[in-house]
């Protein structure tokens, strides 16, 4: 795509929920991308679903609160990685 970066993530079972390690790496990578390209995780990070209506990523389409939490975790990671917040 000319104006997007897609991250493909494997999940261990039919729920579509990421493992803890996978979740942490996706949050870290997305935080870096947001910082690198001056993106706001609350408005600029979207799911495949948000563009196509496809149930992807499955867990985060079926659990919208988890999607909101992931975007919040990305924002916190940006703060931690770039010195705006201390790790607790």
């Amino acid at each position: 795509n000319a104006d997007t970066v897609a991250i493909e993530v494997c999940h261990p079972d039919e729920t579509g929920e990421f493992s803890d390690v996978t979740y942490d790496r996706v949050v870290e990578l997305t935080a870096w991308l947001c910082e690198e390209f001056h993106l706001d995780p609350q408005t600029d990070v979207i799911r495949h679903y948000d563009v196509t209506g496809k149930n992807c990523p499955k867990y985060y389409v079926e659990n919208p609160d988890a999607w909101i939490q992931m975007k919040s975790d990305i924002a916190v990671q940006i703060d931690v990685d770039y010195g705006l917040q201390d790790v607790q």
Side-chain angles (χ1 to χ4, degrees):
N1 298 329
D3 61 358
T4 59
V5 174
I7 302 170
E8 186 72 28
V9 179
C10 296
H11 50 82
D13 60 34
E14 68 281 344
T15 68
E17 188 172 9
F18 303 165
S19 70
D20 290 343
V21 170
T22 300
Y23 182 89
D24 291 345
R25 296 303 82 79
V26 168
V27 167
E28 289 173 357
L29 174 59
T30 306
W32 178 82
L33 288 166
C34 286
E35 184 66 18
E36 185 72 16
F37 294 102
H38 311 288
L39 304 172
D40 178 345
Q42 297 303 325
T43 58
D44 297 326
V45 175
I46 61 173
R47 303 164 293 184
H48 194 181
Y49 171 82
D50 298 320
V51 176
T52 67
K54 182 180 178 184
N55 192 20
C56 180
K58 178 182 175 28
Y59 182 79
Y60 297 97
V61 172
E62 295 177 355
N63 298 278
D65 289 341
W67 177 243
I68 291 167
Q69 182 62 54
M70 178 182 271
K71 294 194 327 176
S72 294
D73 291 343
I74 293 165
V76 168
Q77 189 70 48
I78 291 168
D79 289 345
V80 169
D81 288 348
Y82 299 97
L84 304 175
Q85 178 174 319
D86 291 329
V87 178
Q88 299 289 323

